[in-house]
Amino acid sequence: MSNANDRRARLRAWSGAALVAGAAGLELSQLFVDWPFPVWAYVVATVAGLVLLWRGLDQLHIGMGARAVAAVLALFVVLVIVVPFGVVVVLGSLQRPVDLLTGPHVIPPQPTLDQYVRLFNIAYLSEGIRNSLIVSTTAAIVATLLALLGAYAIASLRFPGRRAVYTSVMLIYMLPGIALLVPLVAIFRTFRLIDTLPGMILGHVALILPLVTWLLVSAFEGVEPDLEHAARIDGAGRFDALRRVVIPMTVPSIATTAVFAFVLSWNELLFSRVLYVSSTPMLAPSIVNLMDPINRVEPQLSAAGLVASVPVLILALVMQRYLIRGRGEGAVI
C-alpha cells in the first residue's frame, strides 16, 4: 500500500513539474514571438559572430580558457558598443520628431532621411565638418612628426635632465585642460591667433603633443639598440639612423599613434569651443549647439553623431592592418 502511495506522490510531483515547465516554455516562446526584429537580428549576429570566433580560434589551436575569454569579450563588445550604437545612433537618426511622442520605437515607424538633409543645411555645421577635417588631419601629422624627434631624443639619447623631461611630458598631459587653456589663450591673443585656422591647429597640436610623444617613447625604447649602433658604425648619422632603422621598425606604432592623435583632435571640445568666436566653427561644438532643452531633437543629434563617426570609422578601416600590428607589438595603448 505504501509503495502505491509513493508512486502516486511521485506521479503528482512529476505532473506538477511538467505543468510548470510547460507554462514556462509557453511564456518563453511568447516572449520570443513578441521580440522585435532588431532584437532577433542582434541575437543572430551575436551567435554567428561567436561561432565564427570559436572556429577561428579552433584553427589557431587556442586553448579552452582563451576561447571562453575571447567569447566573453566579443559578447561584451557587441552588447555594450554595437547594440547601443546601432539602436540609438543609426536607427535613431531615421526617426521623425513626432515618433518620439508615441515611442520609444526600436524600428522607426516611417524611416526618413530628413534629419540628414536638415543637418547639412545648417551652415555652421557643414563648415564645422570641413574645419575639423583640416585641423584634425594637420594637427595629427604635425604632432606625430614633432613627437618622432622628441620621443627619439628621450628614448635614445643620454643627456642631463632626460628623466625630468620625460616625467614633465607625462605630467603636462595629466593637467586639466583649463590649466593649459589659460596661458595658451593669452599667447594666442598676443599673436592674434584666436578664431583662426592656424591658431586652432596650433592649439590642438599643443594639446595632443605630450601624449603622442609619451606613446612613441615606448615604441622607440622597444627597438634593439644594437641595430642603431650598427648603422652608426657604418657611417650613418643620428638622423639617418632614425630614418633608415628606427622608423621602418616602428611604422605600425607610428601609424597607430597618428590615428589616435587624429581621434583626439577630432573629438576635442574645450579648446575648439574657447578658440572659436565666429570664423572657425568646429564639429564637436557645433553638435553641442544643436542641443535644445525645450524641443526634442534626439533624431537630429543621432544623425550628427553618425556623421561625426564616419571619418573615424573610415580611418580605422583604412589603417586596420597597422592598428592590429601596433597593438600586437604592445608599443602603444
Side-chain angles (χ1 to χ4, degrees):
M1 189 67 177
S2 60
N3 292 335
N5 291 333
D6 292 340
R7 285 196 295 270
R8 283 195 293 269
R10 285 196 296 268
L11 182 60
R12 283 196 296 269
W14 281 107
S15 300
L19 289 175
V20 172
L26 288 176
E27 290 291 337
L28 188 60
S29 62
Q30 186 63 34
L31 177 63
F32 288 163
V33 171
D34 292 340
W35 275 6
F37 173 75
V39 177
W40 278 110
Y42 285 128
V43 170
V44 173
T46 302
V47 173
L50 293 176
V51 170
L52 292 176
L53 177 64
W54 193 273
R55 293 187 60 183
L57 294 175
D58 184 55
Q59 294 179 358
L60 295 175
H61 304 290
I62 304 298
M64 188 66 67
R67 295 187 189 188
V69 173
V72 171
L73 291 177
L75 186 60
F76 178 80
V77 170
V78 170
L79 295 179
V80 175
I81 298 178
V82 178
V83 172
F85 183 84
V87 173
V88 176
V89 177
V90 179
L91 295 179
S93 66
L94 303 178
Q95 296 189 54
R96 302 170 301 167
V98 69
D99 295 334
L100 301 176
L101 302 176
T102 59
H105 301 283
V106 178
I107 298 181
Q110 296 182 11
T112 177
L113 297 176
D114 290 344
Q115 300 302 328
Y116 294 96
V117 176
R118 296 175 184 174
L119 203 64
F120 286 103
N121 285 334
I122 301 176
Y124 68 83
L125 189 67
S126 300
E127 190 176 356
I129 295 174
R130 179 181 65 85
N131 290 339
S132 291
L133 286 173
I134 295 174
V135 171
S136 299
T137 304
T138 308
I141 294 174
V142 172
T144 303
L145 291 178
L146 293 177
L148 281 175
L149 302 177
Y152 176 73
I154 295 174
S156 300
L157 303 181
R158 298 296 180 266
F159 54 89
R162 170 179 171 273
R163 180 54 58 182
V165 172
Y166 183 49
T167 304
S168 65
V169 168
M170 294 186 293
L171 291 178
I172 289 174
Y173 188 74
M174 294 178 183
L175 292 175
I178 192 65
L180 301 176
L181 188 60
V182 172
L184 192 65
V185 169
I187 296 172
F188 280 17
R189 184 175 294 142
T190 302
F191 293 96
R192 298 181 180 179
L193 292 173
I194 300 292
D195 202 24
T196 63
L197 275 179
M200 195 71 73
I201 293 171
L202 289 175
H204 282 223
V205 170
L207 177 67
I208 64 180
L209 182 59
L211 179 62
V212 174
T213 303
W214 181 55
L215 294 176
L216 286 180
V217 167
S218 301
F220 290 159
E221 286 180 344
V223 177
E224 183 63 38
D226 293 340
L227 298 176
E228 186 179 352
H229 292 163
R232 296 294 305 279
I233 292 175
D234 291 339
R238 283 286 183 184
F239 183 76
D240 289 334
L242 173 64
R243 181 171 59 89
R244 296 180 180 179
V245 177
V246 178
I247 291 180
M249 296 187 64
T250 55
V251 167
S253 299
I254 295 173
T256 305
T257 304
V259 172
F260 194 58
F262 177 88
V263 174
L264 283 177
S265 178
W266 181 261
N267 295 330
E268 168 55 35
L269 176 61
L270 179 62
F271 276 47
S272 301
R273 195 173 184 86
V274 173
L275 297 179
Y276 159 67
V277 178
S278 61
S279 301
T280 56
M282 300 291 287
L283 180 59
S286 299
I287 293 178
V288 173
N289 291 337
L290 295 176
M291 297 182 180
D292 192 330
I294 299 177
N295 300 319
R296 301 293 298 272
V297 292
E298 286 86 345
Q300 193 174 48
L301 289 175
S302 295
L306 184 59
V307 170
S309 303
V310 168
V312 177
L313 294 176
I314 293 176
L315 183 62
L317 290 175
V318 172
M319 304 294 290
Q320 182 180 11
R321 178 167 58 112
Y322 295 107
L323 293 176
I324 294 175
R325 289 175 59 188
R327 290 291 298 270
E329 292 174 1
V332 295
I333 307 178

